[in-house]
């Protein structure tokens, strides 16, 4: 059963939306609560699918969770316990976040079982980094049908770990495993995204000893015990950027309450270069179409502080309306341009290539992946039917449909709920013209 969205396009999206805590931080901070000997309080929690998955998994492991009227969570891990494999397995395929339970569960109860992992199919996102990290800490990894069993008979020990690529997930795994591991852990080649820094802030509030060096090195001194935390999650910069692109594509005007300039500077520069209008306020950022022509760009995605891969897909839709030829070189996920097929059916002129069409060759250049896109514009978009392929690609399809002339029918829109809180309510508040049929066949 899947929800269907029928979209009547051609109407500018204008109004006000609010973004709350980041999808790439909140579920990880929830997992971190398992490390504490005391309850933790997490504020600014969005109502999204990934939060629901982690909430259910924590409860299965004995964590008591209370939610107040504002949506703030209180998480009490004092009765943490082993969960039944069948109960854990019921969540298989819902999210990739369960792999981050490994270190905290080993510290709390001595073992972990991780179900088969789901998530968006945007390229190779192997868990080998995670398993390699855990083995370096002394964990024993046993692959079983339906999941992975992980234990550490002698406890986790600090280690020197070097990542071949600054993987966000692997960096999170190290942080969550090393804080209570015996000895010192030194991680080189670490990811340093704002969400990583915010997770470090959470762990430091709990009593962890963590320092970040300027050369992507993170040093963690293991401690015997951690307390709880009270923390307000940083806002979701990816959702903010998505609404910004929606304003640009539909020739609209959207104020994104909660959007934070500090963590979006690279995006804001690019948004201005393409011809978008900005008004930065203390409580958020206004994004709007300035009325003139949009300019073509050359954009290369990269790890922070570069242009985020999650910003790329919505921006590609905007670039279909730019005057001239734009080039987008994807260097983070090798299969992120699959979403352009639906855009081409809507009238976009997009060609994808295996070559690195950027200033610097990337790790995908010799591996036969379609990871560069050439977008020619402007083109008139028209309605089409499509299936939502993944979180960001799906949102990009939606904003293209809202900009297009005619009617579009989107199936599988429940995927959007993984990272966009109350997105249909927000679309309605912006004047979008659509009908939602929930749970359609």
């Amino acid at each position: 059963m899947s929800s269907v969205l029928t979209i009547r396009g051609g109407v500018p999206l204008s109004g006000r939306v609010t973004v709350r805590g980041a999808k790439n931080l909140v579920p990880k901070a929830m997992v971190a609560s398992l490390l504490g000997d005391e309850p933790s309080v997490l504020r600014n929690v969005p109502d999204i699918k990934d939060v629901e998955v982690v909430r259910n998994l924590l409860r299965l492991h004995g964590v008591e969770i209370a939610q107040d009227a504002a949506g703030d969570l209180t998480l009490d891990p004092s009765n943490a316990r082993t969960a039944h494999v069948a109960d854990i397995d019921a969540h298989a395929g819902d999210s990739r976040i369960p792999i981050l339970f490994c270190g905290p569960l080993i510290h709390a109860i001595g073992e972990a079982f991780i179900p088969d992992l789901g998530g968006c199919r945007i390229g190779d996102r192997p868990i080998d980094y995670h398993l390699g990290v855990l083995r370096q800490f002394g964990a024993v990894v046993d692959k079983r049908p339906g999941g992975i069993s992980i234990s550490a008979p002698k406890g986790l020990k600090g280690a020197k770990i070097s990542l071949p690529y600054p993987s966000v997930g692997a960096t999170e795994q190290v942080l969550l495993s090393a804080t209570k591991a015996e000895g010192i852990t030194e991680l080189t080649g670490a990811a340093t995204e704002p969400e990583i820094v915010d997770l470090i802030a959470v762990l430091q509030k709990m009593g962890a000893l963590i320092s970040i060096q300027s050369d992507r090195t993170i040093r963690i001194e293991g401690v015997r015990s951690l307390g709880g935390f009270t923390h307000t999650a940083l806002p979701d910069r990816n959702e903010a950027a998505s609404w910004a692109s929606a304003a640009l594509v539909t020739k609209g005007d959207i104020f994104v309450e909660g959007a934070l300039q500090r963590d979006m500077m690279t995006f804001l520069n690019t948004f201005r270069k393409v011809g978008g209008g900005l008004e930065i306020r203390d409580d958020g950022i206004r994004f709007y179409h300035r009325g003139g022509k949009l300019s073509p760009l050359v954009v290369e995605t990269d790890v922070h502080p570069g242009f985020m891969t999650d910003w790329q897909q919505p921006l590609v839709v905007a670039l279909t309306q730019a005057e001239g030829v734009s080039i987008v070189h994807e260097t983070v996920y090798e299969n992120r341009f699959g979403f352009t097929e639906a855009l081409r059916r809507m009238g976009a002129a997009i060609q994808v290539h295996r070559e690195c069409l950027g200033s610097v060759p990337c790790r995908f250049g010799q591996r036969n992946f379609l990871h560069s896109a050439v977008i020619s514009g402007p083109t008139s978009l028209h309605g089409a039917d499509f299936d939502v392929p993944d979180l960001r690609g799906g949102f990009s399809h939606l904003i293209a449909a809202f900009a297009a002339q005619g009617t579009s029918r989107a199936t599988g829109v429940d995927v959007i709920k993984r990272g966009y809180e109350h997105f249909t309510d927000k679309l309605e508040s912006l004047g979008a013209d659509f009908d939602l049929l929930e749970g359609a066949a």
Side-chain angles (χ1 to χ4, degrees):
M1 303 294 285
S2 176
S3 297
V4 177
L5 202 65
T6 301
I7 299 166
R8 291 169 289 276
V11 178
L13 298 182
S14 298
R16 185 186 188 100
V17 297
T18 300
V19 296
R20 294 207 290 169
K23 166 188 171 292
N24 289 342
L25 178 276
V26 170
K28 290 78 178 286
M30 293 170 67
V31 174
S33 70
L34 264 173
L35 293 164
D37 299 327
E38 302 166 353
S40 293
V41 177
L42 184 59
R43 299 195 173 105
N44 202 27
V45 177
D47 182 14
I48 57 175
K49 181 67 175 180
D50 277 12
V51 168
E52 179 186 346
V53 169
V54 174
R55 182 192 290 117
N56 290 338
L57 285 169
L58 286 171
R59 282 177 170 155
L60 284 177
H61 286 92
V63 178
E64 295 182 8
I65 303 176
Q67 185 169 346
D68 66 15
D72 299 342
L73 298 180
T74 299
L75 307 104
D76 185 353
S78 57
N79 294 314
R81 61 176 183 270
T82 301
H84 293 293
V85 171
D87 292 336
I88 301 173
D89 196 53
H91 295 279
D94 280 345
S95 172
R96 292 178 178 269
I97 295 172
I99 191 66
L100 295 177
F101 276 70
C102 294
L105 282 176
I106 290 172
H107 288 307
I109 59 177
E111 61 181 351
F113 177 81
I114 306 302
D116 287 333
L117 301 179
C120 294
R121 296 178 180 177
I122 54 177
D124 186 19
R125 303 169 86 174
I127 64 170
D128 291 346
Y129 281 2
H130 294 269
L131 300 183
V133 162
L134 290 164
R135 287 190 180 102
Q136 289 184 72
F137 281 115
V140 177
V141 178
D142 182 14
K143 295 185 180 180
R144 298 179 182 176
I148 303 168
S149 177
I150 303 169
S151 60
K154 298 181 180 180
L156 299 181
K157 311 291 184 182
K160 285 194 173 184
I161 299 170
S162 179
L163 298 180
Y165 182 79
S167 161
V168 169
T171 300
E172 292 165 340
Q173 187 71 258
V174 171
L175 291 170
L176 293 168
S177 300
T179 50
K180 292 177 72 174
E182 181 182 338
I184 295 174
T185 296
E186 185 176 271
L187 173 64
T188 57
T192 58
E193 273 70 4
E195 295 81 6
I196 292 286
V197 176
D198 213 36
L199 179 59
I200 290 173
V202 166
L203 294 168
Q204 188 179 57
K205 288 180 178 181
M206 300 176 76
L209 299 172
I210 306 173
S211 60
I212 309 174
Q213 311 301 322
S214 59
D215 60 352
R216 291 190 178 274
T217 297
I218 298 177
R219 189 174 187 273
I220 307 108
E221 298 180 42
V223 297
R224 289 184 177 273
S225 64
L226 294 172
F229 65 79
T230 297
H231 188 76
T232 301
L234 83 171
D236 196 313
R237 60 196 175 121
N238 293 335
E239 183 181 356
S242 295
W243 291 117
S245 292
L248 200 56
V249 171
T250 65
K251 298 183 179 179
D253 188 332
I254 301 175
F255 180 76
V256 183
E257 183 180 5
L260 190 62
Q261 176 190 12
R262 180 195 64 206
D263 296 336
M264 296 184 67
M265 286 186 171
T266 302
F267 176 83
L268 298 179
N269 288 337
T270 302
F271 189 84
R272 271 201 173 126
K273 287 178 182 178
V274 78
L278 293 173
E279 183 181 340
I280 300 169
R281 305 176 190 171
D282 289 342
D283 59 341
I285 304 175
R286 176 190 171 207
F287 299 95
Y288 60 97
H289 192 291
R290 298 169 63 181
K293 296 180 179 180
L294 300 183
S295 301
L297 292 177
V298 175
V299 179
E300 294 186 84
T301 65
D302 203 353
V303 296
H304 184 77
F307 192 89
M308 278 198 69
T309 180
D310 285 339
W311 298 336
Q312 174 257 109
Q313 289 163 296
L315 183 70
V316 164
V317 184
L319 291 177
T320 67
Q321 304 308 302
E323 297 271 349
V325 176
S326 297
I327 297 174
V328 178
H329 180 207
E330 172 62 50
T331 74
V332 179
Y333 292 127
E334 67 273 23
N335 193 31
R336 202 146 206 179
F337 284 123
F339 83 105
T340 60
E341 191 276 331
L343 297 182
R344 285 192 290 272
R345 286 192 282 109
M346 299 173 89
I350 303 174
Q351 294 180 318
V352 290
H353 300 269
R354 292 177 173 84
E355 295 79 15
C356 293
L357 301 182
S359 60
V360 180
C362 74
R363 59 199 175 118
F364 306 135
Q366 304 301 318
R367 295 174 59 192
N368 209 32
F369 294 117
L370 296 168
H371 70 293
S372 294
V374 177
I375 305 111
S376 301
T379 54
S380 297
L381 300 179
H382 53 77
D385 294 347
F386 55 85
D387 294 318
V388 170
D390 58 72
L391 180 62
R392 306 301 173 191
F395 190 90
S396 302
H397 289 167
L398 295 186
I399 63 175
F402 282 113
Q405 295 298 318
T407 301
S408 299
R409 186 173 183 267
T411 56
V413 294
D414 292 319
V415 173
I416 307 296
K417 296 178 182 177
R418 282 193 54 227
Y420 293 87
E421 181 182 41
H422 306 152
F423 78 97
T424 53
D425 292 339
K426 292 178 182 179
L427 286 170
E428 187 174 15
S429 74
L430 295 173
D433 188 1
F434 66 91
D435 295 316
L436 176 65
L437 180 60
E438 296 194 77

